[in-house]
Amino acid sequence: MSKILQISAIGSPILRQRAMAIPQLPDARLDELIVDLIATADAANGVGIAAPQVASSLRLFIVASRPSPRYPHAPTMLPTAMINPEIIARSGELVAGWEGCLSVPDRRGMVLRDRAIEVKYFTPQGELVQQELTDFVARIFQHELDHLDGILFPDRVTTKADLISEAEYMKIAFN
Ligand code: ZN
């Protein structure tokens, strides 16, 4: 049975720490955390969630893009656990897009991210995966990787006017 975990909000010190690498895989203790992270992101209409957001300072996040009330135009993929993730190459082509965060309630911000990235990460079984991610999924990966380094999306908005309320964002998103 999965549990819905409590999500730490901006101001919580754990969100500003660099998370610890996971030394050995597979690790049975991670299985429950991964199931709970997926359930927690799903319940909150998130398209991704990082372990530090539920008070586990580990280099692990879930990417789970799908359309939801928070992200009506998101592509659909199976929730994927990514462990000790890294970016190995960047397209250098930056694109602006609106981001939100389950740890930053009622805010959206326009953030520049690389449109395409080559990444590597480990699966919970300990397999190394190397792949190219593009567009919205690449954006999620970059946002979640920031969580592992103590960075939140408001740190990345280019100008202060690009940080807006959820209600104002919804007017833009559904136009
Ligand atoms: Zn976030």
Side-chain angles (χ1 to χ4, degrees):
M1 264 298 275
S2 59
K3 292 188 299 290
I4 306 297
L5 304 172
Q6 192 183 342
I7 298 173
S8 302
I10 185 169
S12 169
I14 197 167
L15 293 174
R16 293 307 192 173
Q17 291 171 12
R18 184 179 158 82
M20 271 183 8
I22 292 166
Q24 208 172 351
L25 292 168
D27 179 340
R29 290 168 299 183
L30 292 179
D31 295 346
E32 187 180 342
L33 175 61
I34 288 167
V35 166
D36 292 345
L37 278 167
I38 291 170
T40 302
D42 186 63
N45 290 315
V47 290
I49 192 167
Q53 292 181 271
V54 297
S56 288
S57 195
L58 297 171
R59 300 190 80 76
L60 155 66
F61 57 66
I62 309 294
V63 177
S65 179
R66 67 190 193 297
S68 75
R70 293 183 72 243
Y71 295 95
H73 307 301
T76 299
M77 63 181 278
L78 281 176
T80 305
M82 301 182 178
I83 296 170
N84 297 341
E86 289 175 42
I87 296 174
I88 36 188
R90 297 172 179 273
S91 65
E93 180 196 347
L94 297 177
V95 285
W98 290 105
E99 293 186 17
C101 180
L102 300 176
S103 294
V104 185
D106 192 40
R107 287 290 179 275
R108 296 288 179 133
M110 182 68 88
V111 180
L112 289 172
R113 301 282 190 189
D114 276 278
R115 193 191 71 76
I117 50 177
E118 192 175 345
V119 306
K120 67 174 188 181
Y121 61 87
F122 290 88
T123 69
Q125 292 73 37
E127 286 166 56
L128 178 64
V129 177
Q130 192 166 326
Q131 64 185 166
E132 190 191 26
L133 302 178
T134 59
D135 301 305
F136 191 65
V137 177
R139 176 173 297 278
I140 297 172
F141 188 101
Q142 291 169 83
H143 175 115
E144 301 306 333
L145 187 62
D146 273 353
H147 274 302
L148 306 188
D149 294 326
I151 299 164
L152 298 172
F153 84 82
D155 308 341
R156 297 231 186 248
V157 297
T158 312
T159 71
K160 287 175 180 153
D162 286 343
L163 192 61
I164 67 173
S165 72
E166 184 85 15
E168 289 298 320
Y169 164 75
M170 285 299 167
K171 290 182 197 168
I172 298 165
F174 288 93
N175 246 333

